Amino acid sequence: MTTTKWLPVRVLPVLVTAVDLAVLHGPVPVTSLDWVLGLTAAVLTGAGAWLPLTTTVAQSALLLATADGGVQAAMPVMFVLTMITLGELWIRRGRWPALCGTAAFVAAQLWLYAPAFDPLLTPTSLLLTAAPPVLLGRYIRSVLGVALEADRRREEAVLAARVAERTAIARELHDLMAHHLASVAVQVGAARHALHGSDPRVDEALAQAHATTRAGLGDLKRLMTVLRDPATTEGNAAGASLADEDGLPAALTAVVERTRAAGVALDAEIDPAVAGLDSIRRLAVLRVVQEGLTNVVKHGGPHATLTVRADDDATRIAVTDDGTGASSGAPGFGLVGMRERVELLGGHVTASGRDGGWSLQVTIPGGES
Protein backbone atom coordinates (compact mmCIF):
# COMPACT_ATOMS: atom_id res chain seq x y z
CA MET A 1 0.00 0.00 0.00
CA THR A 2 1.23 3.50 -0.71
CA THR A 3 2.19 5.86 2.09
CA THR A 4 -0.42 8.36 0.90
CA LYS A 5 -3.19 5.84 1.42
CA TRP A 6 -2.14 5.50 5.06
CA LEU A 7 -2.14 9.29 5.62
CA PRO A 8 -5.50 9.41 7.45
CA VAL A 9 -4.20 6.79 9.90
CA ARG A 10 -1.16 8.94 10.59
CA VAL A 11 -3.37 11.67 12.02
CA LEU A 12 -4.15 9.33 14.94
CA PRO A 13 -0.88 10.02 16.87
CA VAL A 14 -1.76 13.72 16.97
CA LEU A 15 -5.26 12.95 18.29
CA VAL A 16 -4.00 10.41 20.81
CA THR A 17 -1.32 12.81 22.07
CA ALA A 18 -3.86 15.61 22.45
CA VAL A 19 -6.25 13.36 24.39
CA ASP A 20 -3.41 12.07 26.59
CA LEU A 21 -2.20 15.55 27.47
CA ALA A 22 -5.70 16.98 27.92
CA VAL A 23 -7.39 14.13 29.82
CA LEU A 24 -5.19 11.15 30.69
CA HIS A 25 -2.11 12.80 32.16
CA GLY A 26 -3.32 12.18 35.74
CA PRO A 27 -1.86 14.26 38.55
CA VAL A 28 1.17 15.29 36.47
CA PRO A 29 0.80 18.97 35.52
CA VAL A 30 0.84 19.69 31.80
CA THR A 31 3.03 22.59 30.75
CA SER A 32 3.06 24.51 27.51
CA LEU A 33 6.38 22.78 26.72
CA ASP A 34 4.62 19.41 27.10
CA TRP A 35 2.11 20.46 24.47
CA VAL A 36 4.76 21.80 22.10
CA LEU A 37 7.09 18.80 22.31
CA GLY A 38 4.32 16.19 22.46
CA LEU A 39 2.39 17.48 19.46
CA THR A 40 5.60 18.10 17.50
CA ALA A 41 6.60 14.47 18.03
CA ALA A 42 3.12 13.35 17.00
CA VAL A 43 3.23 15.39 13.79
CA LEU A 44 6.72 14.04 13.03
CA THR A 45 5.31 10.51 13.24
CA GLY A 46 3.28 11.28 10.11
CA ALA A 47 6.47 12.21 8.28
CA GLY A 48 7.98 8.81 9.12
CA ALA A 49 6.42 7.35 5.99
CA TRP A 50 8.65 9.46 3.77
CA LEU A 51 11.65 10.35 5.99
CA PRO A 52 11.89 7.66 8.68
CA LEU A 53 15.57 8.26 9.52
CA THR A 54 15.19 12.03 9.77
CA THR A 55 12.03 11.59 11.83
CA THR A 56 13.67 9.14 14.24
CA VAL A 57 16.66 11.44 14.79
CA ALA A 58 14.37 14.46 15.25
CA GLN A 59 12.19 12.65 17.78
CA SER A 60 15.29 11.49 19.64
CA ALA A 61 16.39 15.12 19.78
CA LEU A 62 12.99 16.05 21.22
CA LEU A 63 13.55 13.48 23.94
CA LEU A 64 16.81 15.24 24.77
CA ALA A 65 14.82 18.45 25.20
CA THR A 66 13.07 16.85 28.21
CA ALA A 67 16.36 16.38 30.08
CA ASP A 68 15.93 19.64 32.03
CA GLY A 69 12.89 18.20 33.80
CA GLY A 70 10.45 20.72 32.40
CA VAL A 71 8.52 18.02 30.55
CA GLN A 72 6.88 15.10 32.33
CA ALA A 73 3.39 14.52 30.96
CA ALA A 74 4.47 14.27 27.32
CA MET A 75 7.52 12.06 27.85
CA PRO A 76 5.75 8.64 27.79
CA VAL A 77 3.92 9.57 24.60
CA MET A 78 7.14 10.78 22.98
CA PHE A 79 8.86 7.53 23.88
CA VAL A 80 6.09 5.48 22.26
CA LEU A 81 6.01 7.64 19.13
CA THR A 82 9.79 7.41 18.75
CA MET A 83 9.64 3.62 19.08
CA ILE A 84 6.93 3.45 16.41
CA THR A 85 9.04 5.52 14.00
CA LEU A 86 12.12 3.44 14.82
CA GLY A 87 10.27 0.26 13.85
CA GLU A 88 9.10 1.89 10.62
CA LEU A 89 12.68 2.92 9.88
CA TRP A 90 13.78 -0.73 10.01
CA ILE A 91 10.92 -1.69 7.69
CA ARG A 92 11.50 1.00 5.07
CA ARG A 93 15.24 1.67 5.01
CA GLY A 94 17.02 -1.53 6.01
CA ARG A 95 20.04 -2.19 8.18
CA TRP A 96 22.42 0.78 8.09
CA PRO A 97 19.95 3.69 8.20
CA ALA A 98 18.05 1.79 10.91
CA LEU A 99 21.24 1.29 12.93
CA CYS A 100 21.83 5.04 12.79
CA GLY A 101 18.29 5.71 13.98
CA THR A 102 18.64 3.14 16.75
CA ALA A 103 21.90 4.74 17.87
CA ALA A 104 20.21 8.16 18.05
CA PHE A 105 17.32 6.71 20.07
CA VAL A 106 19.63 4.89 22.51
CA ALA A 107 21.86 7.95 22.86
CA ALA A 108 18.86 10.09 23.77
CA GLN A 109 17.82 7.61 26.44
CA LEU A 110 21.37 7.38 27.82
CA TRP A 111 21.37 11.15 28.15
CA LEU A 112 18.08 11.03 30.02
CA TYR A 113 19.20 8.19 32.30
CA ALA A 114 22.66 9.63 32.92
CA PRO A 115 21.77 11.51 36.15
CA ALA A 116 20.42 8.27 37.70
CA PHE A 117 22.45 5.65 35.84
CA ASP A 118 22.19 2.14 37.26
CA PRO A 119 24.51 -0.61 35.97
CA LEU A 120 21.67 -3.16 35.94
CA LEU A 121 18.43 -1.27 35.44
CA THR A 122 19.59 1.26 32.85
CA PRO A 123 20.86 -1.27 30.23
CA THR A 124 17.77 -3.40 30.85
CA SER A 125 15.51 -0.41 30.27
CA LEU A 126 17.39 0.49 27.08
CA LEU A 127 17.05 -3.07 25.80
CA LEU A 128 13.33 -3.25 26.57
CA THR A 129 12.59 0.02 24.79
CA ALA A 130 14.82 -0.34 21.73
CA ALA A 131 14.71 -4.09 21.01
CA PRO A 132 10.94 -4.59 20.36
CA PRO A 133 10.59 -2.06 17.51
CA VAL A 134 13.90 -3.19 16.00
CA LEU A 135 12.96 -6.87 16.02
CA LEU A 136 9.42 -6.21 14.83
CA GLY A 137 10.66 -3.97 12.03
CA ARG A 138 13.22 -6.53 10.87
CA TYR A 139 10.60 -9.29 10.91
CA ILE A 140 8.08 -7.27 8.90
CA ARG A 141 10.80 -6.25 6.43
CA SER A 142 11.79 -9.89 5.90
CA VAL A 143 8.16 -10.91 5.33
CA LEU A 144 7.63 -8.05 2.89
CA GLY A 145 10.86 -8.98 1.12
CA VAL A 146 9.68 -12.54 0.57
CA ALA A 147 6.30 -11.32 -0.68
CA LEU A 148 7.86 -8.77 -3.04
CA GLU A 149 10.27 -11.37 -4.41
CA ALA A 150 7.39 -13.78 -5.01
CA ASP A 151 5.45 -11.04 -6.81
CA ARG A 152 8.48 -10.18 -8.93
CA ARG A 153 8.97 -13.80 -9.95
CA ARG A 154 5.30 -14.12 -10.71
CA GLU A 155 5.38 -11.03 -12.94
CA GLU A 156 8.44 -12.37 -14.76
CA ALA A 157 6.75 -15.73 -15.30
CA VAL A 158 3.58 -14.04 -16.62
CA LEU A 159 5.67 -11.91 -18.99
CA ALA A 160 7.52 -15.01 -20.19
CA ALA A 161 4.20 -16.79 -20.79
CA ARG A 162 2.90 -13.84 -22.81
CA VAL A 163 6.08 -13.66 -24.89
CA ALA A 164 5.94 -17.43 -25.48
CA GLU A 165 2.33 -17.15 -26.64
CA ARG A 166 3.18 -14.34 -29.04
CA THR A 167 6.06 -16.41 -30.40
CA ALA A 168 3.67 -19.32 -30.93
CA ILE A 169 1.26 -17.01 -32.72
CA ALA A 170 4.12 -15.83 -34.97
CA ARG A 171 5.00 -19.43 -35.86
CA GLU A 172 1.38 -20.23 -36.66
CA LEU A 173 0.97 -17.12 -38.79
CA HIS A 174 4.01 -18.08 -40.79
CA ASP A 175 2.49 -21.52 -41.33
CA LEU A 176 -0.68 -19.87 -42.60
CA MET A 177 1.17 -17.44 -44.85
CA ALA A 178 3.32 -20.22 -46.28
CA HIS A 179 0.18 -22.23 -47.08
CA HIS A 180 -1.52 -19.28 -48.76
CA LEU A 181 1.60 -18.28 -50.70
CA ALA A 182 2.06 -21.85 -51.87
CA SER A 183 -1.52 -21.82 -53.16
CA VAL A 184 -0.88 -18.52 -54.92
CA ALA A 185 2.28 -19.92 -56.50
CA VAL A 186 0.37 -22.93 -57.82
CA GLN A 187 -2.39 -20.77 -59.28
CA VAL A 188 0.07 -18.35 -60.89
CA GLY A 189 1.98 -21.27 -62.36
CA ALA A 190 -1.25 -22.68 -63.80
CA ALA A 191 -2.12 -19.29 -65.26
CA ARG A 192 1.34 -18.99 -66.87
CA HIS A 193 0.90 -22.40 -68.46
CA ALA A 194 -2.62 -21.63 -69.73
CA LEU A 195 -1.90 -18.11 -71.01
CA HIS A 196 1.65 -18.61 -72.25
CA GLY A 197 2.21 -16.71 -75.50
CA SER A 198 -1.12 -14.89 -75.48
CA ASP A 199 0.44 -11.55 -74.61
CA PRO A 200 4.09 -10.77 -73.78
CA ARG A 201 3.02 -8.34 -71.09
CA VAL A 202 0.85 -11.00 -69.41
CA ASP A 203 3.71 -13.48 -69.61
CA GLU A 204 6.09 -10.99 -68.01
CA ALA A 205 3.64 -10.05 -65.21
CA LEU A 206 2.86 -13.66 -64.38
CA ALA A 207 6.57 -14.56 -64.45
CA GLN A 208 7.32 -11.75 -61.98
CA ALA A 209 4.40 -12.75 -59.74
CA HIS A 210 5.55 -16.37 -59.78
CA ALA A 211 9.17 -15.41 -58.99
CA THR A 212 8.08 -13.04 -56.17
CA THR A 213 5.83 -15.70 -54.65
CA ARG A 214 8.54 -18.33 -54.70
CA ALA A 215 11.03 -15.86 -53.18
CA GLY A 216 8.53 -15.08 -50.42
CA LEU A 217 8.07 -18.78 -49.74
CA GLY A 218 11.84 -19.19 -49.46
CA ASP A 219 12.10 -16.30 -47.01
CA LEU A 220 9.23 -17.67 -44.92
CA LYS A 221 10.84 -21.12 -44.83
CA ARG A 222 14.11 -19.66 -43.56
CA LEU A 223 12.30 -17.55 -40.96
CA MET A 224 10.20 -20.49 -39.80
CA THR A 225 13.37 -22.51 -39.32
CA VAL A 226 14.53 -19.85 -36.86
CA LEU A 227 11.18 -19.51 -35.07
CA ARG A 228 10.22 -23.15 -34.90
CA ASP A 229 11.23 -24.85 -31.66
CA PRO A 230 11.68 -28.56 -32.40
CA ALA A 231 10.44 -29.39 -28.90
CA THR A 232 7.09 -27.75 -29.59
CA THR A 233 6.56 -28.75 -33.19
CA GLU A 234 4.68 -31.98 -32.62
CA GLY A 235 1.01 -31.40 -31.97
CA ASN A 236 1.29 -27.62 -32.29
CA ALA A 237 1.88 -26.90 -35.98
CA ALA A 238 -1.78 -26.15 -36.58
CA GLY A 239 -1.36 -23.17 -38.88
CA ALA A 240 -1.31 -24.93 -42.23
CA SER A 241 -3.95 -27.49 -41.25
CA LEU A 242 -6.41 -24.69 -40.35
CA ALA A 243 -5.89 -22.71 -43.51
CA ASP A 244 -8.71 -24.69 -45.16
CA GLU A 245 -12.27 -24.10 -43.96
CA ASP A 246 -12.88 -27.73 -42.95
CA GLY A 247 -9.70 -27.81 -40.84
CA LEU A 248 -11.14 -26.27 -37.67
CA PRO A 249 -14.19 -28.55 -37.19
CA ALA A 250 -11.97 -31.59 -37.68
CA ALA A 251 -9.35 -30.26 -35.23
CA LEU A 252 -12.01 -29.45 -32.61
CA THR A 253 -13.52 -32.91 -32.97
CA ALA A 254 -10.08 -34.45 -32.41
CA VAL A 255 -9.60 -32.40 -29.22
CA VAL A 256 -13.02 -33.47 -27.93
CA GLU A 257 -12.25 -37.13 -28.58
CA ARG A 258 -8.89 -36.90 -26.80
CA THR A 259 -10.61 -35.33 -23.78
CA ARG A 260 -13.18 -38.12 -23.67
CA ALA A 261 -10.43 -40.70 -24.00
CA ALA A 262 -8.82 -39.16 -20.88
CA GLY A 263 -11.91 -40.15 -18.86
CA VAL A 264 -14.00 -36.96 -18.94
CA ALA A 265 -17.69 -37.24 -19.80
CA LEU A 266 -17.73 -34.30 -22.18
CA ASP A 267 -20.87 -32.88 -23.76
CA ALA A 268 -19.75 -30.89 -26.82
CA GLU A 269 -21.75 -28.55 -29.03
CA ILE A 270 -19.74 -27.09 -31.92
CA ASP A 271 -21.40 -24.69 -34.33
CA PRO A 272 -20.58 -25.67 -37.95
CA ALA A 273 -20.43 -21.92 -38.70
CA VAL A 274 -16.94 -21.80 -37.13
CA ALA A 275 -15.68 -23.09 -40.48
CA GLY A 276 -16.44 -19.64 -41.89
CA LEU A 277 -14.03 -17.84 -39.54
CA ASP A 278 -10.85 -16.35 -40.92
CA SER A 279 -7.63 -18.26 -40.41
CA ILE A 280 -6.39 -16.21 -37.43
CA ARG A 281 -9.58 -16.73 -35.48
CA ARG A 282 -9.67 -20.42 -36.33
CA LEU A 283 -6.30 -20.74 -34.66
CA ALA A 284 -7.48 -18.76 -31.64
CA VAL A 285 -10.62 -20.89 -31.24
CA LEU A 286 -8.60 -24.11 -31.45
CA ARG A 287 -6.03 -22.93 -28.88
CA VAL A 288 -8.74 -21.75 -26.47
CA VAL A 289 -10.58 -25.07 -26.68
CA GLN A 290 -7.32 -27.01 -26.28
CA GLU A 291 -6.32 -25.04 -23.19
CA GLY A 292 -9.80 -25.12 -21.66
CA LEU A 293 -10.19 -28.88 -22.07
CA THR A 294 -6.62 -29.50 -20.88
CA ASN A 295 -7.52 -27.72 -17.64
CA VAL A 296 -10.66 -29.84 -17.39
CA VAL A 297 -8.56 -33.00 -17.60
CA LYS A 298 -6.08 -31.68 -15.01
CA HIS A 299 -8.42 -30.05 -12.50
CA GLY A 300 -11.99 -30.80 -13.49
CA GLY A 301 -14.46 -33.39 -12.35
CA PRO A 302 -15.86 -36.35 -14.23
CA HIS A 303 -18.28 -34.24 -16.28
CA ALA A 304 -17.78 -31.13 -18.45
CA THR A 305 -19.46 -29.21 -21.25
CA LEU A 306 -18.04 -27.42 -24.28
CA THR A 307 -19.99 -24.95 -26.39
CA VAL A 308 -18.60 -23.16 -29.44
CA ARG A 309 -20.96 -20.79 -31.25
CA ALA A 310 -20.24 -18.38 -34.12
CA ASP A 311 -22.45 -15.63 -35.49
CA ASP A 312 -21.98 -12.40 -37.43
CA ASP A 313 -20.80 -10.48 -34.35
CA ALA A 314 -18.52 -12.83 -32.43
CA THR A 315 -17.44 -16.34 -31.65
CA ARG A 316 -18.27 -17.48 -28.12
CA ILE A 317 -16.64 -20.39 -26.34
CA ALA A 318 -17.79 -21.79 -23.00
CA VAL A 319 -16.14 -24.58 -21.02
CA THR A 320 -17.59 -25.67 -17.68
CA ASP A 321 -16.85 -28.59 -15.38
CA ASP A 322 -17.89 -29.92 -11.99
CA GLY A 323 -14.37 -30.00 -10.51
CA THR A 324 -12.57 -27.64 -8.15
CA GLY A 325 -10.63 -25.61 -10.70
CA ALA A 326 -6.96 -24.77 -10.27
CA SER A 327 -5.43 -25.55 -6.89
CA SER A 328 -4.44 -21.93 -6.26
CA GLY A 329 -6.19 -18.62 -6.62
CA ALA A 330 -3.62 -17.27 -9.10
CA PRO A 331 -4.34 -17.85 -12.78
CA GLY A 332 -2.21 -20.45 -14.51
CA PHE A 333 0.21 -19.50 -17.25
CA GLY A 334 -1.90 -21.37 -19.82
CA LEU A 335 -4.70 -18.95 -19.02
CA VAL A 336 -2.25 -16.05 -19.33
CA GLY A 337 -1.30 -17.19 -22.83
CA MET A 338 -4.94 -17.72 -23.77
CA ARG A 339 -5.84 -14.23 -22.59
CA GLU A 340 -2.93 -12.74 -24.55
CA ARG A 341 -4.04 -14.47 -27.75
CA VAL A 342 -7.71 -13.50 -27.35
CA GLU A 343 -7.04 -9.88 -26.36
CA LEU A 344 -4.84 -9.40 -29.43
CA LEU A 345 -8.02 -10.05 -31.44
CA GLY A 346 -10.07 -7.60 -29.35
CA GLY A 347 -11.80 -10.31 -27.31
CA HIS A 348 -11.97 -11.05 -23.59
CA VAL A 349 -11.63 -14.04 -21.29
CA THR A 350 -13.50 -14.73 -18.06
CA ALA A 351 -12.37 -17.64 -15.89
CA SER A 352 -13.77 -18.16 -12.42
CA GLY A 353 -15.12 -20.68 -9.98
CA ARG A 354 -18.80 -21.44 -9.81
CA ASP A 355 -21.03 -23.57 -7.62
CA GLY A 356 -19.68 -27.07 -7.98
CA GLY A 357 -17.02 -26.40 -10.59
CA TRP A 358 -15.15 -24.03 -12.88
CA SER A 359 -16.24 -21.87 -15.80
CA LEU A 360 -14.35 -20.44 -18.76
CA GLN A 361 -16.08 -17.91 -21.03
CA VAL A 362 -14.31 -16.50 -24.11
CA THR A 363 -15.61 -14.03 -26.68
CA ILE A 364 -13.74 -13.29 -29.92
CA PRO A 365 -15.37 -10.53 -32.01
CA GLY A 366 -15.83 -10.63 -35.81
CA GLY A 367 -13.89 -12.92 -38.05
CA GLU A 368 -15.80 -14.01 -41.16
CA SER A 369 -13.33 -14.90 -43.89
Side-chain angles (χ1 to χ4, degrees), residues 89-138:
L89 174 61
W90 278 90
I91 295 172
R92 295 186 178 278
R93 292 294 182 265
R95 179 181 300 175
W96 295 111
L99 286 175
C100 294
T102 303
F105 182 45
V106 172
Q109 292 185 80
L110 282 173
W111 186 269
L112 292 174
Y113 286 126
F117 184 84
D118 183 277
L120 178 62
L121 296 180
T122 299
T124 302
S125 177
L126 292 174
L127 181 64
L128 291 177
T129 53
V134 168
L135 294 177
L136 180 61
R138 291 194 64 181

Side-chain angles (χ1 to χ4, degrees), residues 164-211:
E165 188 66 20
R166 289 200 173 201
T167 303
I169 293 171
R171 291 195 299 263
E172 294 164 354
L173 289 180
H174 281 88
D175 288 341
L176 283 171
M177 293 304 298
H179 177 87
H180 291 312
L181 281 178
S183 298
V184 171
V186 170
Q187 296 300 322
V188 171
R192 289 183 66 194
H193 179 74
L195 300 176
H196 179 67
S198 61
D199 189 325
R201 291 173 300 179
V202 173
D203 290 343
E204 182 180 357
L206 290 176
Q208 290 179 352
H210 193 256

Side-chain angles (χ1 to χ4, degrees), residues 165 169 172 238 242 247-253 255-256 269-293 306-311 314-319 338 341-342 345 360 362-367:
E165 188 66 20
I169 293 171
E172 294 164 354
L242 294 189
L248 179 57
L252 292 177
T253 300
V255 175
V256 169
E269 180 185 344
I270 300 174
D271 188 349
V274 296
L277 298 174
D278 61 47
S279 301
I280 306 302
R281 283 168 176 78
R282 291 177 209 159
L283 279 170
V285 170
L286 177 60
R287 295 310 187 200
V288 167
V289 172
Q290 285 177 331
E291 180 63 30
L293 293 184
L306 165 68
T307 303
V308 182
R309 291 191 177 94
D311 53 37
T315 301
R316 295 172 177 82
I317 305 167
V319 180
M338 180 198 303
R341 182 183 292 267
V342 171
L345 296 175
L360 171 68
V362 177
T363 301
I364 304 174

Side-chain angles (χ1 to χ4, degrees), residues 210-221:
H210 193 256
T212 301
T213 304
R214 292 180 64 85
L217 277 171
D219 290 339
L220 277 174
K221 183 177 180 180

Side-chain angles (χ1 to χ4, degrees), residues 10-11 23-24 33 36 38 82 105 124 138 152-153 182 186 195 208 216 229 239 250 262 274 337 358-359 366:
R10 295 182 180 279
V11 179
V23 179
L24 304 177
L33 188 58
V36 171
T82 307
F105 182 45
T124 302
R138 291 194 64 181
R152 184 186 66 81
R153 291 182 179 178
V186 170
L195 300 176
Q208 290 179 352
D229 181 1
V274 296
W358 188 260
S359 174

